[in-house]
């Protein structure tokens, strides 16, 4: 660990915390309370698109200056293609039918009554308590979404798209499955028994956006932050196909559940991480990247 790495990590952490506080203020002003539960939430991921492209350019430039090959054009275009397909499917189906639709059905049928009739008044009146409870709740359920995405074949056929890149850079964060969101939405439904959808929608995006910056080889270990946050070092392990990397570090924003449930693995300085799948997809076609894992499953069943 260098002081430069630690300083940069702290700055990134502070920036995310400030942004989180800003979103909490936004939530209090626009969504908190009886009327706010029906207000649509801004798509913060779309707002971040200029940040994605700007930081990818800066990381690419850093690699050129340092004479490190961090990007491969075909691989990066494949990642962007997968991200575009995921965004399209999310807008058409995942957000409207699965995430918003199912969550709101549970909230309207059961959650509103439970929230109003059974939660103590001091809980109902505390936006801060609800805000941070949802933050931890989304992180907890994300851990299990991610863990089953690696340990159940059908879910791995979806999530494995994200791991199919043999490079590791910021563009890799955008390489996502087009259909995994359909099924992962179900995991979060217990939260709908207590909290409205707009609160979940904000924190689900926070969890996603935080994970963008950890897809990089540029930042090393971050000292004491490694005990709390999910970091680039930890996520490099998660993307590795080395034997010591397999099925490790499932956290989104934090590493506490990995530590609690025995899936935490520190990056080993003596063994460089090799990225990608143990069985390569051998394609840069984003459609094939989503379809080929299913073909392999069906072949194994025949």
């Amino acid at each position: 660990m260098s002081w430069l790495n630690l300083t940069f990590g702290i700055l990134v952490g502070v920036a995310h915390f400030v942004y989180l506080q800003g979103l909490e203020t936004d939530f209090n002003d626009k969504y908190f309370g009886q009327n706010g539960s029906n207000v649509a939430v801004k798509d913060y991921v779309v707002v971040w698109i200029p940040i994605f492209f700007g930081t990818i350019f800066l990381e690419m430039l850093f690699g050129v200056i340092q004479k490190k090959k961090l990007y491969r054009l075909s691989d990066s275009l494949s990642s962007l293609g997968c991200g575009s397909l995921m965004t399209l499917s999310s807008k058409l189906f995942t957000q409207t039918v699965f995430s918003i639709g199912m969550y709101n059905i549970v909230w309207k049928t059961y959650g509103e009554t439970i929230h109003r009739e059974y939660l103590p008044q001091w809980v109902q009146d505390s936006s801060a308590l609800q805000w941070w409870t949802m933050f931890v709740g989304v992180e907890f359920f994300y851990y299990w979404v991610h863990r089953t995405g690696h340990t159940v074949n059908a879910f791995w056929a979806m999530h494995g798209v994200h791991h199919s890149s043999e490079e590791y850079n910021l563009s890799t964060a955008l390489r996502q499955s087009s259909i995994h969101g359909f099924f992962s939405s179900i995991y979060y439904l217990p939260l709908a028994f207590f909290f409205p959808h707009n609160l979940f929608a904000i924190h689900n995006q926070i969890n996603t956006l935080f994970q963008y910056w950890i897809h990089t080889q540029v930042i090393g270990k971050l000292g004491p932050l490694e005990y709390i946050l999910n970091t680039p070092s930890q996520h490099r392990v998660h993307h590795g196909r080395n034997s010591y990397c397999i099925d490790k570090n499932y956290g989104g924003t934090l590493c506490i559940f990995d530590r609690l449930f025995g899936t935490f693995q520190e990056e080993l300085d003596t063994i460089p991480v090799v990225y990608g799948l143990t069985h390569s997809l051998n394609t840069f076609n984003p459609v094939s990247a989503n379809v080929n894992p299913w073909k392999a499953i069906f072949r194994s069943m025949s």
Side-chain angles (χ1 to χ4, degrees):
M1 179 200 74
S2 70
W3 285 109
L4 181 61
N5 266 319
L6 181 58
T7 301
F8 186 79
I10 290 173
L11 289 174
V12 171
V14 168
H16 278 82
F17 182 77
V18 170
Y19 188 67
L20 188 62
Q21 291 295 103
L23 291 183
E24 183 179 6
T25 301
D26 204 33
F27 169 73
N28 290 335
D29 293 342
K30 297 179 181 178
Y31 310 113
F32 184 65
Q34 183 74 20
N35 296 326
S37 63
N38 296 314
V39 179
V41 171
K42 181 189 298 184
D43 191 335
Y44 295 101
V45 174
V46 171
V47 173
W48 272 48
I49 287 177
I51 297 175
F52 295 156
F53 284 101
T55 51
I56 286 172
F57 174 77
L58 289 175
E59 186 183 42
M60 194 180 302
L61 183 62
F62 178 85
V64 171
I65 294 171
Q66 294 292 316
K67 297 182 179 179
K68 294 181 179 179
K69 188 173 176 57
L70 299 176
Y71 281 82
R72 195 166 24 142
L73 180 60
S74 53
D75 184 87
S76 297
L77 290 176
S78 179
S79 293
L80 294 175
C82 287
S84 299
L85 285 177
M86 182 275 293
T87 301
L88 178 62
S89 66
S90 179
K91 291 293 185 183
L92 291 176
F93 303 109
T94 307
Q95 290 183 6
T96 54
V97 178
F98 290 87
S99 180
I100 296 175
M102 289 191 300
Y103 196 104
N104 269 339
I105 288 172
V106 175
W107 166 251
K108 292 293 184 182
T109 306
Y110 305 103
E112 277 189 321
T113 302
I114 293 173
H115 186 94
R116 184 177 60 252
E117 302 293 338
Y118 296 101
L119 290 185
Q121 191 63 45
W122 59 271
V123 174
Q124 296 182 45
D125 294 340
S126 176
S127 63
L129 180 60
Q130 293 183 46
W131 178 264
W132 291 105
T133 300
M134 181 61 83
F135 175 83
V136 176
V138 167
E139 175 65 17
F140 174 77
F141 288 111
Y142 175 81
Y143 172 87
W144 290 105
V145 167
H146 203 177
R147 184 164 178 169
T148 54
H150 280 257
T151 55
V152 178
N153 269 354
F155 293 166
W156 174 244
M158 295 178 277
H159 179 61
V161 174
H162 179 59
H163 287 261
S164 60
S165 173
E166 295 181 359
E167 307 297 329
Y168 190 74
N169 51 55
L170 291 173
S171 74
T172 309
L174 308 181
R175 180 184 291 242
Q176 301 290 337
S177 166
S178 297
I179 58 174
H180 195 204
F182 297 173
F183 302 95
S184 63
S185 302
I186 298 170
Y187 284 73
Y188 300 101
L189 289 182
L191 295 169
F193 286 95
F194 303 99
F195 304 108
H197 177 267
N198 49 39
L199 183 57
F200 164 71
I202 293 173
H203 278 281
N204 194 37
Q205 292 185 80
I206 289 170
N207 195 282
T208 298
L209 291 171
F210 179 88
Q211 293 180 61
Y212 172 70
W213 78 281
I214 61 178
H215 289 81
T216 183
Q217 300 180 59
V218 172
I219 303 171
K221 293 182 180 179
L222 301 179
L225 296 178
E226 298 285 342
Y227 293 98
I228 304 170
L229 298 178
N230 189 12
T231 66
S233 175
Q234 293 171 29
H235 208 60
R236 285 193 290 270
V237 171
H238 178 72
H239 272 260
R241 57 183 176 185
N242 313 59
S243 58
Y244 87 92
C245 298
I246 302 298
D247 295 341
K248 299 295 183 182
N249 300 351
Y250 297 118
T253 57
L254 307 173
C255 63
I256 56 174
F257 293 116
D258 281 299
R259 293 182 182 277
L260 282 173
F261 297 124
T263 52
F264 180 79
Q265 174 61 56
E266 183 180 4
E267 185 178 23
L268 303 180
D269 297 330
T270 55
I271 306 177
V273 176
V274 180
Y275 303 105
L277 304 173
T278 54
H279 297 86
S280 177
L281 288 180
N282 295 319
T283 180
F284 293 116
N285 185 319
V287 175
S288 298
N290 280 274
V291 172
N292 286 359
W294 289 102
K295 290 182 178 179
I297 287 179
F298 290 131
R299 278 198 301 267
S300 68
M301 294 170 60
S302 61

